[in-house]
Amino acid sequence: MNCLLPVLLVVLFTTNLLQARTLAEAAAQQARSLKAGCIVTGERIGDDVRFAIAGKAPEAKDTPPEKIVFEIGSITKVFTGLLLVQAVVEKKVTLETTIGSLLDSKRKLADPRIAAITLKQLSTHTSGLSRMPGNAAAGMAEGDPYANYDEKLLLDFITSTKLEGEGPYSCSYSNVGVGLLGHLLGKVYQTTWEDAVVMKICLPLGLHDTAVHPESKLPLAKPYADATEVKPWTLAAMAGAGALRSTAADMMKFGEAMLHPAQSPLKDAFALALKPHADAPAHGGQIGLGVFFGKYEGDTFLHHDGGTGGYSSSLQVIPSKSIVHVVLINNNSLSGSAVIAAMSAAKKAAPTPQKEIILPAETMQQYSGVYELDRDSRFTVLLRDGQLWVRLSGQPFLGAFARGPDRFFYKIVAAEMAFNRDKDAIQSLTLFQNGQELTAKRTSAPLPSLTLRTAKELQPYAGEYALLGFKKLNVTVKTNTLFAQLEGQPSIPVFETAPDRFEYDVVEATLVFTRDDKKQINGLTLLQNGLTLPAARVTNRSSGPTK
């Protein structure tokens, strides 16, 4: 469950949208849902740049909001991609330099194909490597999941892992791939990844408050997971995937460099980094070296989100409109892209109410299936009692309602879905939301055996559990879905596959709830990575502490 959070470009979220015409207004509305922490925004339109804060950050005292330090999580990958290109500009490596040529020649790889992976493939998530290293649990520290994941563990994983299937591989988000890229680039520059990225990228761009540990005395926003204060994260060997901290002021400078790359001291590096190098359907379009490309109402934009145990962030650059959006949040319960999307949705005219129609039962049955964006992101479409339910990986099932043959809409989010046919057979589906489109191909994968329940039926599971007697695991019910949140981690949906048995869909883990002699739930067991971890129930959401 410990992961650098991948945030899909299009987020299905529910919110009460007012007329938020600016990013600051959207943040002020979204901040109302935060139980702790704040949202700092930076917005550039043309030559006008404005910073704002919504929520509370008492630790910042009188520090201007744009000078408060946050973890930026996976936005770090954009810096690592730029560092790769700078090494190419300096002729230290090429994009086609392989892992094997940079690793110790004495290291014997379990899968010889690993040695042929190129640095470009690491940066574009097309290496075939998994999202997270299989031995990540060995590097866990209390509240800081990567603190002890060192060079030895990283290289042990690369030595022992085997690629699934046959290449070439499509873009599939890999934290371990970019973590390895950062590690190798540090070796190329004969220093650490942090020193290399600060020396070669941050300082030339004037980003004096961006580093793993910025030297300035600016305050670090306290990290929160929902209402609980958590620890900042330490990424050792995985630093290149998400270790940077920064400020809204520095992120705005970075966005401006992406907006006008020809005027940057790193113009040669930007020229190569900001070109599409692979398709990235799960992220709305294509990927350069570390940065994603999407389309919004016909305009190309550059973007990346980030998330760690107590922070969320988003960077968006729209070159054709001279716009830069920066969102930094010290709470992992809200994504930065959701704040930007709230502004975009609010700018649209109120939609015309959709009228639901009834389609024949035999037609409805044709839509069920698994539709894949990439290896780790897919839509699952189920038909239950004549109702279509749709889930995007890592999100709850939402009801979809027909407004015409092959065309559906959601009632609780502003989004639509079309099923696409070829010779009368459904081949894919397309999600339309916030002026953007995501198309997923239908696969032959079997539908999961799931039981969909109402919020009332799920409520008995809700409560606080003490994992191994000391680590909190909160179970809540939202949108007719059970969510589990390990202390210091985001809240993740789980789905019932058997009575009292719920499985995650974004990690290989299972929760099995236990009952006492009176059939009341008194605990659970977490099954993950071959481990069996018991958790006694501490509180019941409806009745308070458990005796």
Side-chain angles (χ1 to χ4, degrees), residues 34-52:
L34 292 181
K35 295 180 181 178
C38 67
I39 306 172
V40 170
T41 57
E43 183 171 31
R44 172 184 172 135
I45 302 178
D47 294 326
D48 182 37
V49 179
R50 298 185 181 185
F51 297 99

Side-chain angles (χ1 to χ4, degrees), residues 322-340:
S322 295
I323 289 176
V324 178
H325 289 138
V326 174
V327 180
L328 301 176
I329 309 171
N330 60 325
N331 196 312
N332 70 7
S333 65
L334 176 67
S335 73
S337 59
V339 177
I340 296 174

Side-chain angles (χ1 to χ4, degrees), residues 323-394:
I323 289 176
V324 178
H325 289 138
V326 174
V327 180
L328 301 176
I329 309 171
N330 60 325
N331 196 312
N332 70 7
S333 65
L334 176 67
S335 73
S337 59
V339 177
I340 296 174
M343 176 186 63
S344 301
K347 287 181 178 180
K348 295 181 178 291
T352 303
Q354 300 274 22
K355 183 177 180 180
E356 180 185 357
I357 68 170
I358 304 300
L359 295 177
E362 58 269 23
T363 300
M364 294 291 287
Q365 291 171 359
Q366 296 175 24
Y367 302 123
S368 294
V370 177
Y371 299 77
E372 188 173 275
L373 286 164
D374 65 24
R375 180 185 61 198
D376 300 308
S377 304
R378 62 191 61 86
F379 290 93
T380 301
V381 181
L382 300 179
L383 183 65
R384 293 288 189 273
D385 298 324
Q387 172 67 59
L388 210 63
W389 294 92
V390 183
R391 176 186 73 188
L392 181 59
S393 296

Side-chain angles (χ1 to χ4, degrees), residues 9 117 160 178 225 261 326 338 359 399 438 448 453 474 491 516 540 547:
L9 170 66
I117 293 173
S160 61
V178 183
V326 174
L359 295 177
L438 284 181
R453 296 195 180 278
N474 284 310
S491 183
D516 59 22
N540 181 310
K547 294 181 180 180

Side-chain angles (χ1 to χ4, degrees), residues 90-208:
E90 296 177 17
K91 301 188 184 304
K92 292 182 176 293
V93 295
T94 72
L95 293 183
E96 303 306 319
T97 295
T98 63
I99 291 177
S101 67
L102 298 177
L103 292 174
D104 186 341
S105 60
K106 297 179 181 179
R107 186 172 290 275
K108 301 299 182 183
L109 303 178
D111 187 341
R113 295 177 298 169
I114 297 289
I117 293 173
T118 67
L119 299 185
K120 182 173 79 169
Q121 290 171 333
L122 292 178
S123 186
T124 58
H125 303 284
T126 55
S127 66
L129 290 172
S130 57
R131 181 184 296 275
M132 298 302 302
N135 61 350
M140 291 179 62
E142 177 63 27
D144 194 356
Y146 301 102
N148 298 325
Y149 196 83
D150 56 16
E151 177 182 359
K152 181 182 183 303
L153 286 172
L154 176 62
L155 295 181
D156 284 350
F157 169 74
I158 295 301
T159 300
S160 61
T161 193
K162 294 183 179 181
L163 300 179
E164 295 183 4
E166 297 296 329
Y169 295 96
S170 59
C171 178
S172 189
Y173 204 85
S174 175
N175 286 304
V176 68
V178 183
L180 176 63
L181 175 61
H183 171 75
L184 294 175
L185 290 174
K187 298 298 184 184
V188 166
Y189 278 107
Q190 299 182 328
T191 184
T192 64
W193 169 84
E194 179 186 12
D195 286 346
V197 81
V198 168
M199 176 178 61
K200 294 294 182 177
I201 306 301
C202 298
L203 293 183
L205 294 178
L207 311 182
H208 298 289

Side-chain angles (χ1 to χ4, degrees), residues 232-289:
W233 276 10
T234 304
L235 281 80
M238 294 278 285
L244 286 179
R245 297 176 180 178
S246 189
T247 64
D250 269 14
M251 291 306 298
M252 179 59 67
K253 288 181 183 178
F254 189 62
E256 289 171 342
M258 295 169 65
L259 191 64
H260 301 295
Q263 301 173 19
S264 166
L266 301 178
K267 61 181 180 180
D268 292 337
F270 273 120
L272 185 55
L274 301 185
K275 290 173 55 178
H277 288 272
D279 290 333
H283 297 268
Q286 298 173 301
I287 184 172
L289 295 170

